[in-house]
Amino acid sequence: MTIELLPLADVSACCAPLTREPISAIEAADLATQLKAIADPARLRLISMVAAHDDQEACVCDLTEPLGLTQGTVSHHLKVLVDAGIFSRDKRGTWAYYRLVPGALDSIATVLVSA
Amino acid sequence: MTIELLPLADVSACCAPLTREPISAIEAADLATQLKAIADPARLRLISMVAAHDDQEACVCDLTEPLGLTQGTVSHHLKVLVDAGIFSRDKRGTWAYYRLVPGALDSIATVLVSA
DNA sequence: GCTATGCATTGATGGTTGTCAATGTATAGA
DNA sequence: TCTATACATTGACAACCATCAATGCATAGC
């Protein structure tokens, strides 16, 4: 079942430059939610590991051992990333394959850039 | 008690593309420290307010009231941003003027981009 | 059906963090 | 010198978070 195209309320995908004019409290909260999802060593490594993996996707069993964390903890971090719209999840049989949502990181980066 | 004493002047943190190859645990921790400094609504608004202020600098008294937080809390957030290398601090007389470190946000954004 | 595997979820716990009130420190002016 | 202003710092507290062990829930193979 290849279910693609997550809804995800298009957080911060807008064009708020952050350094152009004072952002609202709501905009700040939304962007902070996205950044909090990434601002963790384990999740940064997960992003890096998945992106560099074969076919740009990986299952939990591929990530647990090299990350050095419990399977339950890895599953938790992956859920955080999926909820934040960074990762997509595709369950095939017994395995759950995670993949970077195209453009997710880029949209966050764009907000930070002054230009 | 945060015993935090990390200089971490090297914001660019080398050139790890994050999505190119698995980053090390140390690289992940460093980047996470930077991102944690930004991943807060109050601090995001501070960044935005300072950048959009006259002459791209502002003192604590300029920021406390519009942010709706206590002076002590604002001072705390500003310290976090200075420690992370996002803001610079310049004390002139009784006032302390804060300013965005040029390229600080951009270097963080660069790491996130797949490019 | 039984068992093994892969993953998600729960409960508990120790650590971190955002916030305020209160206090400390330094500078400027009368 | 005395007072007012501008920040920084401290202590306390509640909320949140990362982690593990244990459990639950499917699916696949026998």
Side-chain angles (χ1 to χ4, degrees):
Chain A
M1 322 298 184
T2 57
I3 303 137
E4 291 302 328
L5 195 59
L6 308 183
L8 177 59
D10 194 34
V11 186
S12 76
C14 147
C15 31
L18 183 60
T19 56
R20 199 174 208 75
E21 60 180 352
I23 61 177
S24 70
I26 298 172
E27 288 174 317
D30 288 347
L31 180 55
T33 301
Q34 291 263 322
L35 288 172
K36 275 180 195 292
I38 311 179
D40 180 89
R43 291 197 284 269
L44 284 173
R45 294 186 68 191
L46 282 175
I47 292 174
S48 181
M49 291 166 63
V50 167
H53 202 265
D54 300 338
D55 207 15
Q56 275 95 56
E57 72 175 4
C59 59
V60 183
C61 58
D62 292 329
L63 305 167
T64 300
E65 184 268 340
L67 194 56
L69 292 176
T70 307
Q71 175 266 320
T73 301
V74 173
S75 204
H76 159 69
H77 284 307
L78 290 171
K79 175 179 169 53
V80 172
L81 290 171
V82 168
D83 290 344
I86 310 293
F87 273 175
S88 66
R89 180 177 178 273
D90 177 33
K91 182 145 192 177
R92 297 200 296 269
T94 317
W95 294 268
Y97 292 92
Y98 290 87
R99 178 184 295 272
L100 256 177
V101 171
L105 290 180
D106 303 81
S107 69
I108 298 178
T110 301
V111 184
L112 299 180
V113 177
S114 44
Chain B
M1 300 301 191
T2 54
I3 315 171
E4 190 175 14
L5 258 179
L6 56 169
L8 192 52
D10 184 18
V11 182
S12 59
C14 128
C15 32
L18 185 59
T19 56
R20 200 169 206 77
E21 61 180 351
I23 62 178
S24 69
I26 299 173
E27 288 174 317
D30 288 346
L31 181 54
T33 301
Q34 292 262 321
L35 288 172
K36 274 180 195 293
I38 311 180
D40 179 89
R43 291 196 284 270
L44 283 173
R45 294 186 67 192
L46 282 175
I47 292 174
S48 181
M49 292 167 63
V50 167
H53 202 265
D54 300 338
D55 207 13
Q56 274 96 55
E57 72 174 5
C59 57
V60 183
C61 58
D62 293 329
L63 306 168
T64 300
E65 184 268 341
L67 194 57
L69 292 177
T70 307
Q71 174 266 321
T73 301
V74 173
S75 205
H76 160 68
H77 284 306
L78 290 170
K79 175 178 169 52
V80 172
L81 290 170
V82 169
D83 289 345
I86 310 293
F87 273 178
S88 64
R89 180 177 178 273
D90 178 30
K91 181 145 195 178
R92 297 199 297 269
T94 316
W95 294 268
Y97 291 92
Y98 290 87
R99 176 184 296 271
L100 257 176
V101 170
L105 290 180
D106 303 81
S107 68
I108 297 178
T110 301
V111 183
L112 299 180
V113 177
S114 43

